[in-house]
Amino acid sequence: MLTRHFVAGAACALALGLVSPLPALAQAPAPAPASAPAGEGDLQAAIAKSNAYTQLMNRTLRARESWQRYASWVDMKKGPTGKEMYISYGLYSLYDVTKEIQKAEQMAASEPKLPEIDAAMLRYIKAYQELAPLITKAERYYDRKDYRDDNMAEGQKLHTAMVPAAKTFLDERDKLDALMRVYKKGLDQRELAALEQREGRSARWQVRNVMIAARAVIDLMPSNQQPIVDLKAFDAATADYAKTVREMDAFKDKNPGASLMIESQAGTWLGKLRDFSDKLAKNKGDVRRGSAETANWIVRDYNMMISLADTAVRMQR
């Protein structure tokens, strides 16, 4: 059976100290069961495509972080002058994503065909490939302080090229991310149903069920772009998550020897979500009014649960 990581909401510390959760790295494929239920092959192909797309999105998140780093010290309208107080911040270097791009391009041409998502992925790759070389040049330029030799001539040239390229990249990423979130939700439910068909509501099913509900909460967490939380939706997602935690508790009570690994963290996380909701309610959902640090801790704890959940699933195979 091909499985996935439970979403690595790659949290990045932004200018406001908020979080921007994303779907996470996919885990390595596992052998399909000898007696896979009907339709299992289609599900595995869908998961493989999701994995490839998710891996690329995670690795290329670095480009957004690098651009935000740059934007934190540069006047975006005037461009760099060489006199900025925080010019030493420069930009972050990017990761090598050659293999991830090749894999995503292969998957875009493979079954299952997802016309809208596949096309969005190819546009995203193109946008990244136009921006990435510019960021790399700029990162080296500022790291080496080359602007001291040319009176910021290259810096201005790079800025002029990077601004439209970054806008296109960020726009394409937002579109792809929105499509992938919807796709992943449906895929999660298919995967959970297939798991239940194979082994019932087992320990592995319980872990998967909790983490799917946790991701639904993470998808509603604030970001620099959207600092105001939809409290009604957030509380509804938290209530759904609470139900999965209670179901896991009931399973644990009936199977005291079962190793779930996340039960303690899952319960503690629920308490933090409720405290966070209370804080947001006092500020009409605006995380900028004293809740940003709590938001970051929630995402960090979630990422820790992902690691534990992945270990639990591997141990239960």
Side-chain angles (χ1 to χ4, degrees), residues 9-15 20 22 57-73 89-95 124 128 131 135 169-170 173 225:
C12 54
L14 307 184
S20 184
L22 280 183
M57 291 184 72
N58 268 335
R59 293 283 287 176
T60 51
L61 175 64
R62 181 73 167 180
R64 188 176 74 178
E65 294 172 341
S66 184
W67 180 249
Q68 289 168 335
R69 175 82 167 183
Y70 177 70
S72 72
W73 61 267
Y89 282 8
L91 295 87
Y92 295 130
S93 59
L94 303 184
Y95 303 134
Y124 177 70
Y128 178 81
L131 176 62
I135 286 181
F169 169 75
L170 294 174
R173 184 178 180 91
Q225 292 73 31

Side-chain angles (χ1 to χ4, degrees), residues 253-275:
D253 291 343
K254 292 179 181 178
N255 302 274
S259 176
L260 302 180
M261 297 191 72
I262 67 166
E263 56 263 42
S264 177
Q265 287 76 9
T268 300
W269 199 64
L270 176 58
K272 290 181 179 180
L273 291 179
R274 287 170 169 157
D275 287 343

Side-chain angles (χ1 to χ4, degrees), residues 3-254:
T3 55
R4 298 172 292 155
H5 270 310
F6 299 100
V7 153
C12 54
L14 307 184
L16 295 178
L18 306 185
V19 292
S20 184
L22 280 183
L25 294 174
Q27 81 180 45
S35 55
E40 182 77 9
D42 292 341
L43 175 59
Q44 303 313 314
I47 291 174
K49 175 168 281 195
S50 176
N51 283 351
Y53 287 180
T54 297
Q55 286 172 337
L56 177 59
M57 291 184 72
N58 268 335
R59 293 283 287 176
T60 51
L61 175 64
R62 181 73 167 180
R64 188 176 74 178
E65 294 172 341
S66 184
W67 180 249
Q68 289 168 335
R69 175 82 167 183
Y70 177 70
S72 72
W73 61 267
V74 173
D75 184 321
M76 298 305 290
K77 292 183 179 180
K78 297 180 181 179
T81 64
K83 299 179 181 179
E84 291 81 6
M85 182 178 297
Y86 298 108
I87 192 171
S88 60
Y89 282 8
L91 295 87
Y92 295 130
S93 59
L94 303 184
Y95 303 134
D96 180 3
V97 294
T98 304
K99 292 181 179 178
E100 287 82 359
I101 287 178
Q102 290 175 346
K103 185 66 174 178
E105 288 176 334
Q106 291 172 2
M107 285 297 177
S110 303
E111 297 292 341
K113 294 296 184 181
L114 306 170
E116 192 174 10
I117 295 178
D118 294 339
M121 173 53 73
L122 294 177
R123 290 196 306 271
Y124 177 70
I125 290 173
K126 182 175 182 295
Y128 178 81
Q129 289 175 326
E130 291 178 355
L131 176 62
L134 297 173
I135 286 181
T136 296
K137 288 181 181 178
E139 185 272 326
R140 293 170 179 167
Y141 180 77
Y142 290 105
D143 182 58
R144 298 167 185 176
K145 297 180 173 55
D146 288 339
Y147 52 86
R148 293 182 178 178
D149 294 334
D150 68 354
N151 198 30
M152 194 56 80
E154 181 68 12
Q156 282 286 343
K157 181 180 177 182
L158 285 168
H159 181 82
T160 300
M162 283 195 297
V163 169
K167 184 180 186 307
T168 299
F169 169 75
L170 294 174
D171 287 347
E172 292 299 339
R173 184 178 180 91
D174 286 344
K175 293 173 186 175
L176 179 59
D177 183 46
L179 291 170
M180 285 295 292
R181 286 181 188 277
V182 174
Y183 179 61
K184 281 173 173 289
K185 286 180 181 178
L187 199 57
D188 281 340
Q189 294 306 315
R190 289 176 60 192
E191 187 179 2
L192 193 63
L195 182 58
E196 184 174 4
Q197 184 179 353
R198 286 194 302 272
E199 53 191 63
R201 297 195 169 189
S202 61
R204 183 159 48 170
W205 185 94
Q206 299 294 337
V207 172
R208 189 80 184 94
N209 189 41
V210 166
M211 296 309 298
I212 287 173
R215 181 162 73 190
V217 176
I218 283 292
D219 285 347
L220 296 170
M221 290 292 287
S223 67
N224 271 20
Q225 292 73 31
Q226 295 180 322
I228 299 177
V229 178
D230 182 335
L231 285 175
K232 185 176 180 180
F234 185 83
D235 288 345
T238 298
D240 288 340
Y241 172 73
K243 291 177 183 177
T244 67
V245 172
R246 287 194 293 270
E247 180 160 1
M248 182 175 63
D249 289 342
F251 175 86
K252 184 68 176 179
D253 291 343
K254 292 179 181 178

